[in-house]
Amino acid sequence: MFDLVDSTIFFASYGNVFGLSNITISSFDILLAYIVTIIVAVLVALALKIPLLPGKPYRYSFDVSAIYPTPIIAIGIFSIFLVLNYTFMYNGLVLAVVIGVLSALFVKYLFDFVFPKPLNEDNGEDIDE
């Protein structure tokens, strides 16, 4: 498993296959940017009053929280930018902060519109806890 993670980070830091980019960043910079993205997304989500954990029972809860899906969306969007070889300034740290803030705002205000809660099987209404 660690070989897969290491090779993935190495490939993302190596540069574009087609030679469209002559600037590469190191594996440490990529890991640092991912960590910054996760921390900023969680902190901004907590500042926006998103709960840290979803409602109980955790397994069947469709509530958004600061732990899930906020950082997952943030690192997914940041990964797309890394694959496209766009890191902006300071080896991707500024982009990591911007994506962390925007993903927290997305989860707070738009997540329920894009991904609605499933219908209750008993009476055909949305599940509200």
Side-chain angles (χ1 to χ4, degrees):
M1 178 177 143
F2 293 112
D3 293 335
L4 176 64
V5 171
D6 185 47
S7 63
T8 304
I9 292 171
F10 175 74
F11 179 72
S13 66
Y14 182 69
N16 198 328
V17 175
F18 302 111
L20 298 174
S21 174
N22 57 2
I23 299 172
T24 59
I25 59 176
S26 69
S27 300
F28 177 75
D29 291 333
I30 290 176
L31 285 176
L32 182 66
Y34 274 122
I35 291 169
V36 166
T37 304
I38 292 169
I39 291 172
V40 167
V42 170
L43 290 178
V44 172
L46 290 174
L48 290 172
K49 306 267 194 255
I50 297 176
L52 183 64
L53 295 172
K56 290 187 178 180
Y58 298 130
R59 186 172 183 177
Y60 299 108
S61 176
F62 291 99
D63 298 336
V64 295
S65 66
I67 299 297
Y68 183 81
T70 309
I72 309 303
I73 291 173
I75 62 174
I77 294 171
F78 187 67
S79 297
I80 292 171
F81 280 99
L82 283 181
V83 167
L84 295 175
N85 248 351
Y86 184 74
T87 56
F88 196 52
M89 295 195 277
Y90 301 113
N91 294 333
L93 291 178
V94 174
L95 184 64
V97 169
V98 169
I99 289 174
V101 169
L102 291 178
S103 67
L105 289 171
F106 172 77
V107 168
K108 173 70 175 181
Y109 296 111
L110 295 175
F111 188 81
D112 289 332
F113 295 114
V114 177
F115 305 107
K117 293 181 181 179
L119 295 176
N120 192 352
E121 294 178 2
D122 297 334
N123 52 5
E125 297 176 0
D126 288 342
I127 297 175
D128 290 325
E129 306 290 334

PDB file of all heavy atoms in Angstrom, residues 36-60:
ATOM      1  N   VAL A  36      -2.532  20.999   4.384  1.00  0.00           N
ATOM      2  CA  VAL A  36      -3.077  22.359   4.517  1.00  0.00           C
ATOM      3  C   VAL A  36      -4.514  22.399   4.017  1.00  0.00           C
ATOM      4  O   VAL A  36      -5.382  23.032   4.633  1.00  0.00           O
ATOM      5  CB  VAL A  36      -2.182  23.375   3.773  1.00  0.00           C
ATOM      6  CG1 VAL A  36      -2.864  24.712   3.606  1.00  0.00           C
ATOM      7  CG2 VAL A  36      -0.864  23.537   4.494  1.00  0.00           C
ATOM      8  N   THR A  37      -4.802  21.722   2.922  1.00  0.00           N
ATOM      9  CA  THR A  37      -6.165  21.692   2.390  1.00  0.00           C
ATOM     10  C   THR A  37      -7.138  21.082   3.397  1.00  0.00           C
ATOM     11  O   THR A  37      -8.223  21.616   3.634  1.00  0.00           O
ATOM     12  CB  THR A  37      -6.205  20.875   1.087  1.00  0.00           C
ATOM     13  OG1 THR A  37      -5.282  21.421   0.165  1.00  0.00           O
ATOM     14  CG2 THR A  37      -7.582  20.880   0.480  1.00  0.00           C
ATOM     15  N   ILE A  38      -6.744  19.970   4.007  1.00  0.00           N
ATOM     16  CA  ILE A  38      -7.615  19.302   4.969  1.00  0.00           C
ATOM     17  C   ILE A  38      -7.839  20.170   6.205  1.00  0.00           C
ATOM     18  O   ILE A  38      -8.972  20.338   6.661  1.00  0.00           O
ATOM     19  CB  ILE A  38      -7.020  17.932   5.352  1.00  0.00           C
ATOM     20  CG1 ILE A  38      -7.067  16.995   4.152  1.00  0.00           C
ATOM     21  CG2 ILE A  38      -7.754  17.326   6.539  1.00  0.00           C
ATOM     22  CD1 ILE A  38      -6.267  15.727   4.341  1.00  0.00           C
ATOM     23  N   ILE A  39      -6.772  20.744   6.735  1.00  0.00           N
ATOM     24  CA  ILE A  39      -6.890  21.563   7.947  1.00  0.00           C
ATOM     25  C   ILE A  39      -7.732  22.802   7.701  1.00  0.00           C
ATOM     26  O   ILE A  39      -8.613  23.148   8.497  1.00  0.00           O
ATOM     27  CB  ILE A  39      -5.487  21.920   8.484  1.00  0.00           C
ATOM     28  CG1 ILE A  39      -4.812  20.668   9.029  1.00  0.00           C
ATOM     29  CG2 ILE A  39      -5.560  22.998   9.552  1.00  0.00           C
ATOM     30  CD1 ILE A  39      -3.361  20.857   9.408  1.00  0.00           C
ATOM     31  N   VAL A  40      -7.503  23.483   6.584  1.00  0.00           N
ATOM     32  CA  VAL A  40      -8.274  24.698   6.279  1.00  0.00           C
ATOM     33  C   VAL A  40      -9.743  24.349   6.066  1.00  0.00           C
ATOM     34  O   VAL A  40     -10.637  25.068   6.542  1.00  0.00           O
ATOM     35  CB  VAL A  40      -7.679  25.422   5.050  1.00  0.00           C
ATOM     36  CG1 VAL A  40      -8.607  26.488   4.525  1.00  0.00           C
ATOM     37  CG2 VAL A  40      -6.337  26.023   5.400  1.00  0.00           C
ATOM     38  N   ALA A  41     -10.022  23.258   5.363  1.00  0.00           N
ATOM     39  CA  ALA A  41     -11.418  22.879   5.121  1.00  0.00           C
ATOM     40  C   ALA A  41     -12.152  22.591   6.428  1.00  0.00           C
ATOM     41  O   ALA A  41     -13.284  23.044   6.620  1.00  0.00           O
ATOM     42  CB  ALA A  41     -11.471  21.665   4.199  1.00  0.00           C
ATOM     43  N   VAL A  42     -11.512  21.875   7.344  1.00  0.00           N
ATOM     44  CA  VAL A  42     -12.155  21.545   8.618  1.00  0.00           C
ATOM     45  C   VAL A  42     -12.326  22.797   9.475  1.00  0.00           C
ATOM     46  O   VAL A  42     -13.389  23.010  10.083  1.00  0.00           O
ATOM     47  CB  VAL A  42     -11.360  20.447   9.358  1.00  0.00           C
ATOM     48  CG1 VAL A  42     -11.863  20.270  10.772  1.00  0.00           C
ATOM     49  CG2 VAL A  42     -11.441  19.140   8.599  1.00  0.00           C
ATOM     50  N   LEU A  43     -11.310  23.657   9.541  1.00  0.00           N
ATOM     51  CA  LEU A  43     -11.407  24.861  10.368  1.00  0.00           C
ATOM     52  C   LEU A  43     -12.460  25.831   9.848  1.00  0.00           C
ATOM     53  O   LEU A  43     -13.224  26.409  10.640  1.00  0.00           O
ATOM     54  CB  LEU A  43     -10.045  25.544  10.461  1.00  0.00           C
ATOM     55  CG  LEU A  43      -8.989  24.809  11.288  1.00  0.00           C
ATOM     56  CD1 LEU A  43      -7.668  25.573  11.266  1.00  0.00           C
ATOM     57  CD2 LEU A  43      -9.456  24.598  12.705  1.00  0.00           C
ATOM     58  N   VAL A  44     -12.531  26.012   8.540  1.00  0.00           N
ATOM     59  CA  VAL A  44     -13.549  26.907   7.986  1.00  0.00           C
ATOM     60  C   VAL A  44     -14.938  26.300   8.175  1.00  0.00           C
ATOM     61  O   VAL A  44     -15.898  27.023   8.459  1.00  0.00           O
ATOM     62  CB  VAL A  44     -13.246  27.216   6.506  1.00  0.00           C
ATOM     63  CG1 VAL A  44     -14.388  27.977   5.856  1.00  0.00           C
ATOM     64  CG2 VAL A  44     -11.961  28.012   6.390  1.00  0.00           C
ATOM     65  N   ALA A  45     -15.054  24.991   8.052  1.00  0.00           N
ATOM     66  CA  ALA A  45     -16.346  24.341   8.289  1.00  0.00           C
ATOM     67  C   ALA A  45     -16.790  24.529   9.737  1.00  0.00           C
ATOM     68  O   ALA A  45     -17.967  24.788  10.000  1.00  0.00           O
ATOM     69  CB  ALA A  45     -16.258  22.856   7.950  1.00  0.00           C
ATOM     70  N   LEU A  46     -15.870  24.416  10.668  1.00  0.00           N
ATOM     71  CA  LEU A  46     -16.224  24.657  12.073  1.00  0.00           C
ATOM     72  C   LEU A  46     -16.569  26.127  12.311  1.00  0.00           C
ATOM     73  O   LEU A  46     -17.452  26.435  13.111  1.00  0.00           O
ATOM     74  CB  LEU A  46     -15.080  24.215  12.979  1.00  0.00           C
ATOM     75  CG  LEU A  46     -14.852  22.706  13.063  1.00  0.00           C
ATOM     76  CD1 LEU A  46     -13.601  22.406  13.879  1.00  0.00           C
ATOM     77  CD2 LEU A  46     -16.062  22.016  13.647  1.00  0.00           C
ATOM     78  N   ALA A  47     -15.894  27.035  11.611  1.00  0.00           N
ATOM     79  CA  ALA A  47     -16.217  28.456  11.746  1.00  0.00           C
ATOM     80  C   ALA A  47     -17.589  28.774  11.168  1.00  0.00           C
ATOM     81  O   ALA A  47     -18.261  29.699  11.630  1.00  0.00           O
ATOM     82  CB  ALA A  47     -15.150  29.296  11.050  1.00  0.00           C
ATOM     83  N   LEU A  48     -18.023  27.998  10.164  1.00  0.00           N
ATOM     84  CA  LEU A  48     -19.354  28.187   9.577  1.00  0.00           C
ATOM     85  C   LEU A  48     -20.444  27.450  10.355  1.00  0.00           C
ATOM     86  O   LEU A  48     -21.568  27.348   9.894  1.00  0.00           O
ATOM     87  CB  LEU A  48     -19.352  27.703   8.126  1.00  0.00           C
ATOM     88  CG  LEU A  48     -18.564  28.549   7.135  1.00  0.00           C
ATOM     89  CD1 LEU A  48     -18.488  27.858   5.791  1.00  0.00           C
ATOM     90  CD2 LEU A  48     -19.186  29.919   7.004  1.00  0.00           C
ATOM     91  N   LYS A  49     -20.096  26.905  11.518  1.00  0.00           N
ATOM     92  CA  LYS A  49     -21.024  26.212  12.412  1.00  0.00           C
ATOM     93  C   LYS A  49     -21.539  24.900  11.833  1.00  0.00           C
ATOM     94  O   LYS A  49     -22.669  24.492  12.101  1.00  0.00           O
ATOM     95  CB  LYS A  49     -22.205  27.102  12.791  1.00  0.00           C
ATOM     96  CG  LYS A  49     -21.828  28.443  13.372  1.00  0.00           C
ATOM     97  CD  LYS A  49     -21.766  28.369  14.854  1.00  0.00           C
ATOM     98  CE  LYS A  49     -21.723  29.765  15.433  1.00  0.00           C
ATOM     99  NZ  LYS A  49     -20.455  30.174  15.911  1.00  0.00           N
ATOM    100  N   ILE A  50     -20.726  24.235  11.034  1.00  0.00           N
ATOM    101  CA  ILE A  50     -21.038  22.877  10.612  1.00  0.00           C
ATOM    102  C   ILE A  50     -20.599  21.970  11.753  1.00  0.00           C
ATOM    103  O   ILE A  50     -19.496  22.114  12.272  1.00  0.00           O
ATOM    104  CB  ILE A  50     -20.295  22.526   9.301  1.00  0.00           C
ATOM    105  CG1 ILE A  50     -20.755  23.434   8.159  1.00  0.00           C
ATOM    106  CG2 ILE A  50     -20.523  21.065   8.929  1.00  0.00           C
ATOM    107  CD1 ILE A  50     -20.003  23.220   6.876  1.00  0.00           C
ATOM    108  N   PRO A  51     -21.426  21.029  12.177  1.00  0.00           N
ATOM    109  CA  PRO A  51     -21.038  20.175  13.311  1.00  0.00           C
ATOM    110  C   PRO A  51     -19.812  19.326  12.974  1.00  0.00           C
ATOM    111  O   PRO A  51     -19.591  18.961  11.818  1.00  0.00           O
ATOM    112  CB  PRO A  51     -22.270  19.307  13.554  1.00  0.00           C
ATOM    113  CG  PRO A  51     -23.074  19.396  12.318  1.00  0.00           C
ATOM    114  CD  PRO A  51     -22.757  20.696  11.671  1.00  0.00           C
ATOM    115  N   LEU A  52     -19.048  19.003  14.017  1.00  0.00           N
ATOM    116  CA  LEU A  52     -17.840  18.207  13.814  1.00  0.00           C
ATOM    117  C   LEU A  52     -18.185  16.790  13.375  1.00  0.00           C
ATOM    118  O   LEU A  52     -17.551  16.238  12.477  1.00  0.00           O
ATOM    119  CB  LEU A  52     -17.009  18.173  15.097  1.00  0.00           C
ATOM    120  CG  LEU A  52     -15.685  17.430  15.020  1.00  0.00           C
ATOM    121  CD1 LEU A  52     -14.758  18.128  14.042  1.00  0.00           C
ATOM    122  CD2 LEU A  52     -15.041  17.350  16.384  1.00  0.00           C
ATOM    123  N   LEU A  53     -19.198  16.180  13.986  1.00  0.00           N
ATOM    124  CA  LEU A  53     -19.641  14.828  13.647  1.00  0.00           C
ATOM    125  C   LEU A  53     -21.101  14.864  13.219  1.00  0.00           C
ATOM    126  O   LEU A  53     -21.863  15.724  13.661  1.00  0.00           O
ATOM    127  CB  LEU A  53     -19.487  13.901  14.853  1.00  0.00           C
ATOM    128  CG  LEU A  53     -18.067  13.650  15.330  1.00  0.00           C
ATOM    129  CD1 LEU A  53     -18.087  12.870  16.635  1.00  0.00           C
ATOM    130  CD2 LEU A  53     -17.285  12.898  14.276  1.00  0.00           C
ATOM    131  N   PRO A  54     -21.524  13.919  12.376  1.00  0.00           N
ATOM    132  CA  PRO A  54     -22.942  13.877  11.986  1.00  0.00           C
ATOM    133  C   PRO A  54     -23.808  13.391  13.140  1.00  0.00           C
ATOM    134  O   PRO A  54     -23.318  12.930  14.161  1.00  0.00           O
ATOM    135  CB  PRO A  54     -22.946  12.878  10.824  1.00  0.00           C
ATOM    136  CG  PRO A  54     -21.758  12.029  11.044  1.00  0.00           C
ATOM    137  CD  PRO A  54     -20.731  12.901  11.710  1.00  0.00           C
ATOM    138  N   GLY A  55     -25.105  13.485  12.954  1.00  0.00           N
ATOM    139  CA  GLY A  55     -26.033  13.034  13.981  1.00  0.00           C
ATOM    140  C   GLY A  55     -26.010  11.523  14.140  1.00  0.00           C
ATOM    141  O   GLY A  55     -25.611  10.791  13.251  1.00  0.00           O
ATOM    142  N   LYS A  56     -26.438  11.052  15.308  1.00  0.00           N
ATOM    143  CA  LYS A  56     -26.470   9.618  15.572  1.00  0.00           C
ATOM    144  C   LYS A  56     -27.715   9.019  14.964  1.00  0.00           C
ATOM    145  O   LYS A  56     -28.733   9.677  14.909  1.00  0.00           O
ATOM    146  CB  LYS A  56     -26.415   9.376  17.074  1.00  0.00           C
ATOM    147  CG  LYS A  56     -25.075   9.708  17.654  1.00  0.00           C
ATOM    148  CD  LYS A  56     -25.010   9.293  19.097  1.00  0.00           C
ATOM    149  CE  LYS A  56     -23.625   9.591  19.643  1.00  0.00           C
ATOM    150  NZ  LYS A  56     -23.483   9.212  21.022  1.00  0.00           N
ATOM    151  N   PRO A  57     -27.740   7.821  14.531  1.00  0.00           N
ATOM    152  CA  PRO A  57     -26.631   6.879  14.440  1.00  0.00           C
ATOM    153  C   PRO A  57     -25.690   7.267  13.290  1.00  0.00           C
ATOM    154  O   PRO A  57     -26.146   7.625  12.212  1.00  0.00           O
ATOM    155  CB  PRO A  57     -27.294   5.532  14.179  1.00  0.00           C
ATOM    156  CG  PRO A  57     -28.566   5.883  13.489  1.00  0.00           C
ATOM    157  CD  PRO A  57     -28.990   7.221  14.049  1.00  0.00           C
ATOM    158  N   TYR A  58     -24.402   7.198  13.534  1.00  0.00           N
ATOM    159  CA  TYR A  58     -23.413   7.652  12.563  1.00  0.00           C
ATOM    160  C   TYR A  58     -23.476   6.874  11.257  1.00  0.00           C
ATOM    161  O   TYR A  58     -23.266   7.428  10.189  1.00  0.00           O
ATOM    162  CB  TYR A  58     -21.994   7.523  13.132  1.00  0.00           C
ATOM    163  CG  TYR A  58     -21.755   8.367  14.351  1.00  0.00           C
ATOM    164  CD1 TYR A  58     -21.201   7.824  15.492  1.00  0.00           C
ATOM    165  CD2 TYR A  58     -22.079   9.716  14.360  1.00  0.00           C
ATOM    166  CE1 TYR A  58     -20.978   8.590  16.606  1.00  0.00           C
ATOM    167  CE2 TYR A  58     -21.874  10.489  15.476  1.00  0.00           C
ATOM    168  CZ  TYR A  58     -21.312   9.932  16.596  1.00  0.00           C
ATOM    169  OH  TYR A  58     -21.103  10.694  17.703  1.00  0.00           O
ATOM    170  N   ARG A  59     -23.773   5.612  11.348  1.00  0.00           N
ATOM    171  CA  ARG A  59     -23.725   4.768  10.171  1.00  0.00           C
ATOM    172  C   ARG A  59     -24.818   5.107   9.162  1.00  0.00           C
ATOM    173  O   ARG A  59     -24.625   4.997   7.960  1.00  0.00           O
ATOM    174  CB  ARG A  59     -23.852   3.311  10.603  1.00  0.00           C
ATOM    175  CG  ARG A  59     -23.672   2.350   9.492  1.00  0.00           C
ATOM    176  CD  ARG A  59     -23.615   0.955  10.020  1.00  0.00           C
ATOM    177  NE  ARG A  59     -23.375   0.019   8.938  1.00  0.00           N
ATOM    178  CZ  ARG A  59     -23.227  -1.261   9.119  1.00  0.00           C
ATOM    179  NH1 ARG A  59     -23.296  -1.767  10.319  1.00  0.00           N
ATOM    180  NH2 ARG A  59     -23.017  -2.057   8.104  1.00  0.00           N
ATOM    181  N   TYR A  60     -25.983   5.509   9.622  1.00  0.00           N
ATOM    182  CA  TYR A  60     -27.096   5.788   8.731  1.00  0.00           C
ATOM    183  C   TYR A  60     -27.423   7.281   8.648  1.00  0.00           C
ATOM    184  O   TYR A  60     -28.506   7.643   8.214  1.00  0.00           O
ATOM    185  CB  TYR A  60     -28.326   5.012   9.189  1.00  0.00           C
ATOM    186  CG  TYR A  60     -28.103   3.531   9.180  1.00  0.00           C
ATOM    187  CD1 TYR A  60     -27.978   2.832  10.366  1.00  0.00           C
ATOM    188  CD2 TYR A  60     -27.976   2.849   7.984  1.00  0.00           C
ATOM    189  CE1 TYR A  60     -27.749   1.470  10.357  1.00  0.00           C
ATOM    190  CE2 TYR A  60     -27.741   1.487   7.961  1.00  0.00           C
ATOM    191  CZ  TYR A  60     -27.636   0.802   9.151  1.00  0.00           C
ATOM    192  OH  TYR A  60     -27.395  -0.540   9.140  1.00  0.00           O
TER     193      TYR A  60
END
